[in-house]
Amino acid sequence: MFQRMIRLLVILSVSLAAGAAAAQSVEAQFRNWLASDLWPEAQRRGISATTFNAAFANVSPNLKLPDLVLPGESKPRSDRQHQAEFRAPSAYFKHIGGVVSGGRARAGKLNGVLSAIEKRYGVPRGVVLAVWGRESGFGGAKIPYDAFEVLGTKAFLATRKAMFREEVLAALEMVERRGVSTRAMRSSWAGAMGQPQFMPTSYLKYAVDGDGNGSADIWNSQADTLASIANYLAQHGWVRGRDWGFEVTVPQGVSCALEGPDRGKSIADWQALGVRRVGGKAFPEHELRGEGYLMMPAGRFGPAFIVTPNFYRLKDYNESDLYALFVGHAGDRIMYGNNEFATSWGRVGGFNRSDVAGMQRGLERLGYDVGGADGLVGFKTRRSIGEWQQKNGVSPTCFPESQTVRRLQ
């Protein structure tokens, strides 16, 4: 027994030594990459040696970040998207009440700032406040990482090196040309910074001075943060005067497979099919002429919506149907005191994202466009499920169920 313990300790010591040696090797390669690869390009873009050296003076590659491919390896060590649990859409809205109450509390205090932003950019204050609350808890969330550590590591080792290379170069430009201190460059694990959680390229394009002091400080200035969020949405095409969408009831005779931004109709045409706003409300007269799109994030197992092009501007901020719905719904509740969704969310799930990805691959083999087998259930996957169900004599639900997942894997 004692000899076995000794052998285990030796094996552990050797393993730890090997790990330390590997980390040192990656560190050396990272330093060489900075000097021989990243610095020459930064220099060509007008970045000074002073800025470059200050940014990376105490930076080492953070090997705990996700989606890294270490030297000598062919794929990431962890594939979190396929190991994660498939969560019901309702889970996404668990903490919406905090964003709503926080937005209402700040709406009055920041009335002047918000009025100016609405006038300039055409984005409703409720939406801007909801994005702010969702992204950083109105500036209260901890942002733990050094941005150059994250962006440098990912530009060197991530699965999307080219994207992060542009981001780390943009971060250097923020310091060099926009006067941002390297000490202020704190980010999420993905490299998003400040209260709006902008990537560096987004900061350079969309961050604006909202308080008139000559700088765009998305870390400390509420006015700059709110104006920058509104500018981002406006620059992406927010349609002034239109809503983001409306919760509706969808008759069984209207297929859930009609969902998607490429299957739009005028809202008047949706109304003619029997789609109605919940609570007996009428669609605003000016919206009837505009195009609308069916959106059913849980298929027949949850609320349904007719959304406008502005819903997809919210998706430009974060490519998720549930994110856009969270922001739009929270914004309405901040502005108008609206209640929770009229239709409840059904109990769905009970499997992993790898199961969903397997189902998606099964649909792809049958010729359906699911938008990629990523374990995420976007509108292309939802309507593909509905179309497959219809062809196979199953009442269409347009959402993964255990039986459907098993049959299609």
Side-chain angles (χ1 to χ4, degrees), residues 191-207:
M193 299 183 300
Q195 296 186 45
Q197 286 290 276
F198 278 176
M199 296 298 287
T201 52
S202 290
Y203 177 91
L204 293 176
K205 292 177 183 176
Y206 308 115

Side-chain angles (χ1 to χ4, degrees), residues 60-383:
S60 294
N62 185 342
L63 303 185
K64 295 181 180 179
L65 295 172
D67 302 320
L68 303 183
V69 180
L70 300 189
E73 299 184 3
S74 60
K75 60 182 180 179
R77 289 188 172 182
S78 63
D79 191 349
R80 299 194 313 170
Q81 72 174 17
H82 292 303
Q83 297 301 321
E85 178 186 359
F86 179 78
R87 301 176 68 199
S90 56
Y92 200 91
F93 301 90
K94 185 176 180 180
H95 301 296
I96 194 170
V99 172
V100 172
S101 61
R104 287 176 182 168
R106 289 162 176 80
K109 297 176 183 177
L110 297 170
N111 181 60
V113 170
L114 292 165
S115 294
I117 287 171
E118 285 180 323
K119 182 177 180 181
R120 180 174 181 180
Y121 299 105
V123 182
R125 65 186 63 198
V127 166
V128 177
L129 288 166
V131 171
W132 184 25
R134 176 66 189 177
E135 292 296 331
S136 66
F138 306 103
K142 292 182 179 180
I143 303 177
Y145 294 97
D146 180 311
F148 287 106
E149 174 188 270
V150 171
L151 297 169
T153 299
K154 286 182 173 286
F156 180 54
L157 294 172
T159 55
R160 294 178 292 169
K161 290 185 180 70
M163 186 199 90
F164 282 103
R165 185 183 185 88
E166 286 302 313
E167 294 298 345
V168 75
L169 289 165
L172 289 165
E173 187 174 341
M174 288 172 61
V175 176
E176 184 75 31
R177 298 193 177 91
R178 301 289 287 267
V180 180
S181 166
T182 54
R183 292 189 301 276
M185 301 284 279
R186 308 297 297 174
S187 80
S188 70
W189 62 265
M193 299 183 300
Q195 296 186 45
Q197 286 290 276
F198 278 176
M199 296 298 287
T201 52
S202 290
Y203 177 91
L204 293 176
K205 292 177 183 176
Y206 308 115
V208 293
D209 174 18
D211 55 20
N213 69 353
S215 67
D217 183 357
I218 61 171
W219 294 269
N220 303 297
S221 169
Q222 294 179 337
D224 290 2
T225 294
L226 292 166
S228 297
I229 291 169
N231 185 48
Y232 183 102
L233 295 171
Q235 292 295 325
H236 279 80
W238 184 274
V239 181
R240 186 185 292 261
R242 289 206 71 182
D243 209 314
W244 68 269
F246 309 91
E247 187 180 354
V248 298
T249 58
V250 180
Q252 288 296 323
V254 176
S255 174
C256 52
L258 290 174
E259 184 180 2
D262 54 347
R263 297 183 178 179
K265 309 175 186 292
S266 73
I267 292 181
D269 286 342
W270 286 113
Q271 186 171 255
L273 290 174
V275 175
R276 297 287 184 268
R277 282 188 74 182
V278 297
K281 298 178 182 177
F283 291 107
E285 189 67 29
H286 72 277
E287 292 281 7
L288 291 173
R289 299 183 298 276
E291 193 164 43
Y293 316 93
L294 181 63
M295 206 275 290
M296 301 178 72
R300 290 285 181 183
F301 299 109
F305 304 86
I306 293 296
V307 299
T308 78
N310 285 339
F311 177 85
Y312 295 99
R313 304 294 72 77
L314 296 177
K315 284 192 66 174
D316 289 333
Y317 208 103
N318 182 314
E319 186 60 28
S320 163
D321 288 337
L322 294 178
Y323 176 91
L325 180 56
F326 183 106
V327 168
H329 182 59
D332 283 351
R333 289 173 64 178
I334 290 168
M335 291 179 67
Y336 310 121
N338 291 5
N339 297 320
E340 298 180 6
F341 298 118
T343 302
S344 61
W345 298 94
R347 297 181 65 182
V348 292
F351 32 81
N352 294 328
R353 282 178 59 179
S354 58
D355 298 320
V356 176
M359 178 202 68
Q360 290 171 318
R361 287 190 289 271
L363 285 166
E364 286 179 330
R365 287 192 294 270
L366 295 172
Y368 292 94
D369 177 10
V370 298
D374 56 5
L376 300 172
V377 184
F379 75 89
K380 288 185 177 181
T381 294
R382 294 193 295 266
R383 71 188 188 190

